Amino acid sequence: MLRPRYIPPDDIFPPNPWAFETVRYDARLARELTGQAETMFALSNGYLGIRGTVEEGTPVREAGTYLNGFYEHRPISYGEHAYGFPRVGQSILNCPNGTVLKLFVDDEPFVLPPAEILSYRRSLDLRAGTLNRDVRWVTATGKRLHMRTVRLVSLAQRHLAAIEFELTGEDADVEIAVSSELVNSQPLSADTTDPRLAEGFVGRVLHPTGTSAGGMRAMLSYRTRSSGMSLGCGMDHSVSSECPVLTELVCEDDFAAARFRCKLERNKPLRIRKYLSYHYGESSDHTEILFQTASTLDRAMRHGFERIRERQRSDVGRFWARADVTVESDNPRTQQTIRWNLFQLLQASERAEGHGIGARGLTGQTYEGHYFWDTEIYVLPFIIYTNPAIARSVLKFRYDMLDKARARARELGHRGATFPWRTINGDEASAYYAAGTAQYHINADIAYALRKYVEVTGDQEFLWNYGAEILIETARLWFDLGFFSDVKGGRFCINGVTGPDEYTALVNNNCFTNLLARENLRYAVQSVRALERLHPPLFEILVARTGLEPSELEQWHEASERMYLPYDGRLKIHPQDDDFLDLKRWDFATTPEDNYPLFLHYHPLNLYRSQVIKQADTVMAMFLLNEQFNHDEKRRNFEYYEALTTHDSSLSVCIQSIIANETGFKEKAIDYFDFAAAMDMSDIGGNMMHGAHIAAIGGTWLALVYGFAGLRDTAGQISFDPKLPETWSALNFVLTVRGQTLRIEIDRMSATYRLLNGEWLSFSHAGEECVLSSAEPILTRAFGPEQPLQ
């Protein structure tokens, strides 16, 4: 089962609520945790991501610079090919690394492990949005030096990263040289024993198309062979010192370096400010991509580092104003963990416009940069409530994939649209159909997220212009995929699918899938009829675009009303699918602890034949469609499935926490939350070195807001039913609802609701209808004896 693999020692990693930092250098830990540190200290803005490697370039586990949506095709190999199998996938590419600033002191390279360190601090500043490092050491000849670096990936300019490097000789003059580099390395060869990791490429991936160099600026351009994308990357510098500095520039196809040499006089620092620019596009003219790259560098040089850094702090401050979650807890690390998680959501989404959000964001190549259902179910709720403009953009990106989803449906012999299980460009990239293409629920997941976005934001325009078309094509898919079964009394059945639980594949009537499909069908009918009634001209355009027939709406309505849902009268639970209860229970008692996750140690067929669950499935449906289950059903389902769930997926425990909270298992709720929140910081999955678990992090926010605060938003009706754990004394957060800002402050005695921005907002608290207005913007409700705070 799940367990922490690493507990950060407080004397090295103190529980700072506004930073994740290392305050002492330990060579052994640094060696063991190099990969984890590269993820923990990674910086990103949703478009450009850079792993947290050290400036001197070593030690290093996986240096990585990634651009959201920049990929190369890769062939998918099969022992036996079959019709409809994807033949080509996509893999995000590792771009040239511009973070390298190699330091040489008296002609000797500075590397941390053998150095005599006097003081050390490396900090991801969650308020400033910067990665800072401060090192003091003694050279082999007894000279004391002080190095300070500040790194950022700009939120304001999504193509820009910047580094400030400052070096001071504290007690003597010293000869120093700095090599500031931009390096295109060969792609990483992946460990193919772990299916989560990216597949490596053989041979060159980025083919040089030209360079440009002058002054202290160097730019490189490339083109991918198969995907046909052009990449431009460049660096420029400003340097200042009271000491004379000699400079030179080297620029080749795969390597550029700006070199600085000087005799550094005592207490007269050398300061180098380095600006990095990354652009990509489809133009075959390399001069165009280099022009864009140069424009970003020109702007950075005009603005200067201080202005860029101050804008970064301001942008991050605005994020915290709309998205911070504060907890008063017995555990001093809880607040730090929550804020690091929230910061990862900022980094994965803030400038992702025009793209999706990868399973690991831009912190690693695991899952090849693909977008899954993770985005819609685990990440979008947070974005909808904190940054609705980006939520709209992410959903619009799905709409832009619609033609490819239609084509995929035709290839599979279906009507409508079949969205890919994993993708970057809209084409299916999942090779294992049993746990890929068969997860048709992604179509309903997208429809579910669309509905939540529209109802929470009130953006009906998006529904009319884009969403309705998605709903029509996904509803068509469900009606074509299912059928009215005589054996099931004329109920609408959906066979041969895989639900969220990937340890149970290709089943009939997966409860989660049928429930979400039913909502998809209902919402499609409701939305199309509303469009016809309210906006006839737009309705006519939609009909012309989709070929919608009036009879289809009646068919979808009938299918939704007659949807079959498995139910066992003896156990009084909803079986995960038609045959799940007929399977033999997995023998947990004799399964070695080291054999988790099971999919790395057992053939899928062994798992498919057993009652064993990778992640919450029916329990997940109870969360998403909360109003469709009564309290007793939720409790019985939760108890039955909890005993069978390994949580081998990082997406599981956050949902378990929410339902445990709702069904009265308050100790389990906080235990599951602690696991969810610490998924990366404690390396519970054992693979955090390969990137942050962005969806699990989104699930942490779900557990806070939907779990402990008891938020429910069925049909856009906002309600709260708080249940704080015994170890917490307060929980505070902010939501944006239909353009209005609501702050919720919960302590052990009461809940206070504040309308920070807006005219009027209605909601309910523990079943009581409440209204806030600009005239009466604050409302407090005490927890009385009849409604104690659990």
Side-chain angles (χ1 to χ4, degrees):
M1 300 292 182
L2 292 174
R3 66 187 190 280
R5 296 171 187 258
Y6 179 72
I7 305 297
D10 287 353
D11 65 324
I12 298 179
F13 303 99
N16 185 334
W18 280 109
F20 180 81
E21 56 189 352
T22 305
V23 297
R24 179 166 63 81
Y25 186 73
D26 184 301
R28 181 187 61 81
L29 277 179
R31 183 173 58 254
E32 293 177 357
L33 302 178
T34 296
Q36 288 90 326
E38 290 166 0
T39 294
M40 295 298 293
F41 291 121
L43 295 174
S44 173
N45 59 19
Y47 173 84
L48 166 64
I50 299 175
R51 280 175 62 81
T53 50
V54 293
E55 280 75 19
E56 53 270 18
T58 185
V60 61
R61 173 87 185 216
E62 293 180 21
T65 301
Y66 312 110
L67 301 177
N68 194 352
F70 182 64
Y71 68 91
E72 176 62 308
H73 290 131
R74 59 165 179 81
I76 300 177
S77 301
Y78 302 92
E80 296 182 14
H81 198 276
Y83 175 80
F85 282 19
R87 295 178 180 271
V88 177
Q90 314 108 42
S91 287
I92 194 170
L93 293 178
N94 196 347
C95 299
N97 178 15
T99 63
V100 178
L101 284 148
K102 294 179 179 176
L103 171 64
F104 301 85
V105 179
D106 291 333
D107 298 327
E108 297 295 332
F110 168 71
V111 182
L112 272 171
E116 182 183 345
I117 305 298
L118 298 176
S119 66
Y120 182 89
R121 180 181 292 269
R122 195 178 192 211
S123 174
L124 180 65
D125 188 328
L126 302 177
R127 277 188 286 209
T130 57
L131 175 60
N132 310 318
R133 191 164 63 138
D134 192 291
V135 187
R136 295 177 63 250
W137 76 100
V138 180
T139 69
T141 57
K143 298 176 181 178
R144 294 172 178 259
L145 285 96
H146 182 191
M147 179 176 66
R148 184 184 63 84
T149 64
V150 180
R151 183 190 302 181
L152 64 86
V153 173
S154 173
L155 297 176
Q157 302 179 50
R158 70 176 189 164
H159 301 277
L160 176 69
I163 303 171
E164 181 178 70
F165 172 96
E166 183 180 276
L167 183 69
T168 305
E170 293 187 334
D171 62 353
D173 297 348
V174 61
E175 294 283 349
I176 66 102
V178 178
S179 180
S180 175
E181 299 175 358
L182 181 62
V183 185
N184 179 35
S185 302
Q186 290 300 307
L188 183 71
S189 296
D191 175 6
T192 56
T193 63
D194 188 336
R196 297 167 292 190
L197 303 185
E199 290 193 21
F201 288 92
V202 176
R204 177 177 279 277
V205 177
L206 296 176
H207 299 268
T209 56
T211 64
S212 176
M216 288 181 284
R217 175 181 296 186
M219 299 187 296
L220 314 177
S221 66
Y222 301 89
R223 189 163 179 81
T224 61
R225 184 185 303 276
S226 180
S227 64
M229 291 184 169
S230 293
L231 170 68
C233 53
M235 63 179 181
D236 205 347
H237 305 78
S238 66
V239 58
S240 61
S241 177
E242 296 180 33
C243 309
V245 180
L246 299 177
T247 66
E248 66 172 330
L249 184 69
V250 176
C251 187
E252 302 170 354
D253 283 346
D254 292 314
F255 176 82
R259 292 167 178 158
F260 308 89
R261 293 182 175 87
C262 76
K263 182 175 182 179
L264 199 62
E265 298 178 20
R266 178 183 175 184
N267 289 325
K268 293 183 178 180
L270 168 70
R271 183 177 295 114
I272 300 170
R273 285 161 169 174
K274 180 176 185 177
Y275 305 99
L276 297 167
S277 171
Y278 292 85
H279 285 261
Y280 75 88
E282 297 183 356
S283 172
S284 59
D285 182 359
H286 77 278
T287 60
E288 180 176 322
I289 204 76
L290 288 179
F291 173 77
Q292 293 175 271
T293 305
S295 295
T296 297
L297 293 174
D298 289 342
R299 186 185 306 112
M301 294 291 286
R302 287 197 309 270
H303 288 176
F305 190 86
E306 288 301 327
R307 180 175 171 183
I308 293 169
R309 178 166 57 181
E310 287 306 308
R311 175 61 188 272
Q312 183 82 348
R313 176 179 283 274
S314 176
D315 289 341
V316 174
R318 280 191 289 272
F319 166 77
W320 291 119
R322 67 178 189 261
D324 194 16
V325 179
T326 61
V327 166
E328 295 180 13
S329 164
D330 291 351
N331 183 349
R333 199 173 286 279
T334 298
Q335 187 65 69
Q336 178 189 46
T337 303
I338 289 171
R339 284 214 177 99
W340 184 87
N341 284 336
L342 295 173
F343 189 73
Q344 300 312 307
L345 294 175
L346 164 72
Q347 295 201 126
S349 65
E350 185 75 1
R351 298 307 308 273
E353 60 265 28
H355 302 285
I357 298 172
R360 297 298 181 100
L362 295 171
T363 63
Q365 285 181 275
T366 296
Y367 294 120
E368 301 177 271
H370 291 162
Y371 320 131
F372 293 77
W373 74 308
D374 303 16
T375 300
E376 282 74 22
I377 297 301
Y378 291 88
V379 180
L380 261 182
F382 167 79
I383 303 175
I384 288 169
Y385 277 109
T386 62
N387 194 352
I390 287 297
R392 188 183 198 274
S393 175
V394 170
L395 287 167
K396 173 60 165 54
F397 178 70
R398 285 293 194 186
Y399 173 81
D400 294 338
M401 290 183 176
L402 190 54
D403 282 343
K404 288 189 174 183
R406 289 181 176 115
R408 179 61 172 162
R410 290 193 297 271
E411 184 178 30
L412 296 172
H414 303 315
R415 298 191 69 225
T418 303
F419 282 96
W421 178 243
R422 54 188 296 177
T423 191
I424 294 176
N425 67 355
D427 292 325
E428 179 63 81
S430 177
Y432 185 52
Y433 71 88
T437 298
Q439 296 202 57
Y440 287 94
H441 66 83
I442 189 171
N443 298 281
D445 302 332
I446 293 169
Y448 179 91
L450 168 64
R451 181 171 193 168
K452 183 182 291 289
Y453 168 76
V454 171
E455 292 177 343
V456 172
T457 66
D459 188 358
Q460 294 290 328
E461 180 187 8
F462 185 85
L463 177 62
W464 307 143
N465 291 331
Y466 306 109
E469 192 172 347
I470 292 175
L471 293 171
I472 286 173
E473 299 297 6
T474 49
R476 278 176 172 158
L477 178 278
W478 293 119
F479 190 75
D480 183 73
L481 188 64
F483 69 106
F484 296 100
S485 170
D486 293 336
V487 175
K488 301 291 188 183
R491 291 288 183 176
F492 191 78
C493 296
I494 303 174
N495 292 341
V497 302
T498 300
D501 169 30
E502 294 174 345
Y503 285 174
T504 312
L506 296 174
V507 300
N508 296 338
N509 295 308
N510 170 253
C511 189
F512 176 96
T513 301
N514 286 18
L515 280 164
L516 270 291
R518 181 170 70 178
E519 292 308 297
N520 192 164
L521 290 161
R522 286 176 173 173
Y523 190 44
V525 173
Q526 172 190 326
S527 300
V528 172
R529 286 178 173 167
L531 181 61
E532 181 180 21
R533 183 177 67 256
L534 299 173
H535 303 285
L538 288 179
F539 174 75
E540 292 302 325
I541 293 172
L542 182 64
V543 169
R545 188 182 298 155
T546 62
L548 178 68
E549 298 289 342
S551 60
E552 290 185 277
L553 298 179
E554 295 302 324
Q555 292 170 343
W556 302 342
H557 174 75
E558 183 180 10
S560 67
E561 293 304 303
R562 295 168 61 185
M563 183 68 69
Y564 175 75
L565 299 175
Y567 186 77
D568 184 83
R570 179 178 59 88
L571 296 175
K572 295 184 179 181
I573 67 167
H574 292 82
Q576 190 165 284
D577 57 75
D578 276 355
D579 300 320
F580 187 78
L581 298 183
D582 294 333
L583 302 177
K584 179 183 178 181
R585 283 195 170 218
W586 185 267
D587 187 355
F588 292 100
T590 62
T591 301
E593 191 72 20
D594 291 340
N595 279 15
Y596 295 93
L598 299 180
F599 63 82
L600 294 182
H601 300 90
Y602 300 93
H603 193 280
L605 290 174
N606 292 324
L607 302 172
Y608 297 163
R609 297 187 186 108
S610 304
Q611 284 192 51
V612 59
I613 299 173
K614 182 181 181 183
Q615 70 185 80
D617 192 302
T618 303
V619 172
M620 179 72 174
M622 294 194 304
F623 164 57
L624 297 180
L625 302 174
N626 181 271
E627 74 285 357
Q628 299 184 24
F629 298 83
N630 64 42
H631 182 271
D632 291 341
E633 287 176 326
K634 291 173 187 174
R635 190 177 180 97
R636 287 193 298 267
N637 283 324
F638 176 81
E639 289 183 297
Y640 186 84
Y641 289 113
E642 186 195 29
L644 302 174
T645 306
T646 64
H647 308 296
D648 284 348
S649 167
S650 64
L651 304 181
S652 187
V653 286
C654 55
I655 305 304
Q656 294 288 117
S657 176
I658 295 169
I659 300 301
N661 229 327
E662 188 174 8
T663 52
F665 296 101
K666 59 182 181 179
E667 291 184 3
K668 290 183 178 181
I670 187 60
D671 287 345
Y672 280 128
F673 170 79
D674 286 343
F675 270 106
M679 187 65 63
D680 286 328
M681 193 169 286
S682 295
D683 198 16
I684 290 174
N687 62 351
M688 192 269 284
M689 69 180 67
H690 301 302
H693 295 78
I694 299 301
I697 288 169
T700 300
W701 184 86
L702 295 178
L704 285 164
V705 174
Y706 285 86
F708 299 118
L711 169 68
R712 295 296 181 268
D713 46 21
T714 303
Q717 300 301 308
I718 305 299
S719 65
F720 299 94
D721 188 9
K723 296 178 175 64
L724 291 190
E726 292 182 359
T727 55
W728 294 6
S729 57
L731 168 64
N732 306 315
F733 59 94
V734 174
L735 301 177
T736 299
V737 181
R738 292 182 282 281
Q740 302 175 95
T741 307
L742 175 67
R743 180 173 178 81
I744 300 92
E745 302 168 354
I746 304 166
D747 59 31
R748 302 212 62 81
M749 302 300 295
S750 64
T752 298
Y753 303 92
R754 301 177 186 270
L755 188 62
L756 302 181
N757 175 58
E759 295 298 319
W760 183 87
L761 184 65
S762 65
F763 61 96
S764 69
H765 166 85
E768 176 192 352
E769 293 302 316
C770 304
V771 175
L772 294 175
S773 67
S774 56
E776 298 183 17
I778 302 175
L779 179 69
T780 298
R781 286 292 177 264
F783 299 110
E786 296 182 359
Q787 192 239 321
L789 183 57
Q790 297 185 23

